[in-house]
């Protein structure tokens, strides 16, 4: 039910907006996020959003360059990233954590992961 789009090839310094069609997870999860993975490495949390934007969390390498947002009417979650570098090259996954309750720790999901992910979208940054 999670479907990512928007990946592609971008030159370093450019920007990209990834989209996630979240379906029913928009209603079921107050904690949603974006993760990324490169071959040979574990999946890394990039950004998480709690209660539709009440709080947002970012991994250190993305702070100041990334913005996570959510549109409940469209059932979409977005990740906009600026000033991209080759180190941002990865497969990006949208995640949902319906197990995080109201008042729960959505930020922890960045390091612990989420139970549900989409198929991913590939982002390649060329120098």
């Amino acid at each position: 039910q999670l479907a990512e789009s928007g990946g592609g090839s971008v030159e370093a310094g450019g920007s990209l907006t990834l989209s996630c069609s979240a379906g029913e997870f928009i209603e079921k999860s107050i904690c949603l996020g974006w993760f990324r993975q490169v071959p040979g490495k574990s999946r890394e949390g990039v950004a998480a959003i709690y209660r539709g934007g009440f709080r947002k969390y970012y991994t250190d390498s993305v702070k100041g360059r990334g913005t996570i947002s959510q549109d409940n009417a469209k059932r979409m979650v977005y990740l906009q990233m600026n000033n991209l570098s080759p180190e941002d090259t990865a497969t990006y996954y949208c995640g949902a954590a319906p197990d995080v309750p109201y008042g729960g720790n959505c930020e922890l999901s960045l390091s612990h992961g989420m139970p549900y992910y989409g198929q991913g979208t590939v982002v390649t940054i060329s120098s």
Side-chain angles (χ1 to χ4, degrees), residues 3-124:
E4 303 91 341
S5 62
S9 296
V10 179
E11 290 188 355
S15 300
L16 199 64
T17 297
L18 303 179
S19 301
C20 172
S21 177
E24 292 183 352
F25 283 113
I26 282 291
E27 287 90 24
K28 293 180 179 178
S29 298
I30 59 173
C31 180
L32 297 155
W34 284 94
F35 295 75
R36 64 187 179 188
Q37 188 171 22
V38 297
K41 293 189 176 181
S42 57
R43 187 148 29 197
E44 171 194 27
V46 177
I49 186 166
Y50 172 69
R51 286 178 58 192
F54 180 73
R55 295 196 190 281
K56 300 179 181 181
Y57 310 97
Y58 301 93
T59 191
D60 287 344
S61 63
V62 172
K63 281 180 183 176
R65 301 191 298 122
T67 301
I68 187 170
S69 61
Q70 180 174 335
D71 186 329
N72 289 342
K74 296 181 179 179
R75 294 186 166 186
M76 298 291 290
V77 182
Y78 305 98
L79 177 67
Q80 181 184 15
M81 292 184 64
N82 303 314
N83 194 23
L84 290 161
S85 72
E87 287 69 36
D88 294 313
T89 295
T91 299
Y92 283 73
Y93 299 89
C94 180
D99 55 326
V100 174
Y102 189 94
N105 194 337
C106 181
E107 184 177 17
L108 196 62
S109 297
L110 283 179
S111 56
H112 285 59
M114 294 185 178
Y116 299 95
Y117 296 99
Q119 295 300 308
T121 185
V122 178
V123 172
T124 303

